[in-house]
Amino acid sequence: MRVKLIVASLLILLFTTVVGNSSNEDFRENFLSSMSKCYLEYYKNNPGNIVVPQKFVIGIAIHESDWGRSRIASASNNLYGMKTTSTDPKHFVYALGGSNIKLAKYDSRCGSVRDFINLMIKDKRYDNIREYFANTKKVEYETVLNSMEIYYEDPNWPNKVLNIIKGLK
């Protein structure tokens, strides 16, 4: 009886591990698929813009939003922690921690992707990023990530995002 119980427990553990991993893998594939659609939609609607590499856009979203599972991503479709000055509560959520930091709220993930790409290619604070993408043939992700000091506070951020980008297909 004891052996049957152990075998049954091991089978349940194996089954839940396999199903759990499959489910997580499916979740990640769905996230990547939705991000790719948003990315392609952006460039379909903005064909003349400088091309920000898809892996760059998606890698940062994965890191900043934990694959779309973070509180901000879930509550507002904000995958990048984009701030706003909006006074309309329909267009922002507050960051945690008792701060008055307003984070942009989007109707869909695609709005967040659009604003992030526009930030990289239109905001003067990111002139170096725009110039880099406009003038390079082969993207050195480590170089571009390390030149984004204005975007992050964590000194390990470039390496964390680089590891994510390296893991993308």
Side-chain angles (χ1 to χ4, degrees):
M1 178 68 171
R2 181 176 230 165
V3 171
K4 287 182 182 179
L5 185 57
I6 292 171
V7 170
S9 297
L10 288 173
L11 286 173
I12 290 171
L13 177 64
L14 177 65
F15 178 74
T16 55
T17 301
V18 170
V19 170
N21 288 342
S22 174
S23 169
N24 190 43
E25 191 61 34
D26 290 344
F27 177 84
R28 288 180 177 206
E29 287 300 319
N30 287 336
F31 181 83
L32 291 173
S33 175
S34 73
M35 292 296 295
S36 292
K37 287 178 187 174
C38 292
Y39 179 86
L40 294 173
E41 179 182 302
Y42 176 86
Y43 282 104
K44 179 181 176 189
N45 294 328
N46 302 281
N49 282 355
I50 293 168
V51 175
V52 177
Q54 187 172 8
K55 284 185 176 185
F56 179 83
V57 172
I58 293 174
I60 292 174
I62 290 169
H63 176 71
E64 295 296 318
S65 72
D66 186 27
W67 293 88
R69 293 182 287 218
S70 71
R71 182 187 76 83
I72 297 301
S74 298
S76 65
N77 287 310
N78 187 334
L79 303 172
Y80 301 94
M82 302 285 280
K83 295 176 184 168
T84 185
T85 57
S86 175
T87 56
D88 184 347
K90 289 187 271 184
H91 298 155
F92 70 86
V93 295
Y94 283 108
L96 288 178
S99 70
N100 288 327
I101 298 172
K102 296 177 191 174
L103 299 171
K105 189 173 187 179
Y106 299 96
D107 292 333
S108 71
R109 289 178 175 170
C110 291
S112 183
V113 170
R114 178 199 63 234
D115 277 4
F116 178 76
I117 295 172
N118 283 335
L119 179 72
M120 293 297 114
I121 63 176
K122 295 180 179 179
D123 190 303
K124 294 229 179 270
R125 296 172 296 170
Y126 295 96
D127 282 350
N128 61 329
I129 304 301
R130 180 181 55 254
E131 293 300 318
Y132 182 84
F133 289 137
N135 296 313
T136 191
K137 297 277 188 230
K138 182 178 183 324
V139 176
E140 296 292 334
Y141 290 105
E142 185 172 7
T143 300
V144 72
L145 291 168
N146 280 309
S147 71
M148 294 179 63
E149 302 88 10
I150 190 172
Y151 190 83
Y152 60 87
E153 295 174 6
D154 176 3
N156 295 316
W157 183 89
N159 288 330
K160 291 174 182 177
V161 175
L162 181 62
N163 287 333
I164 291 168
I165 289 172
K166 285 179 178 178
L168 297 174
K169 297 175 191 172

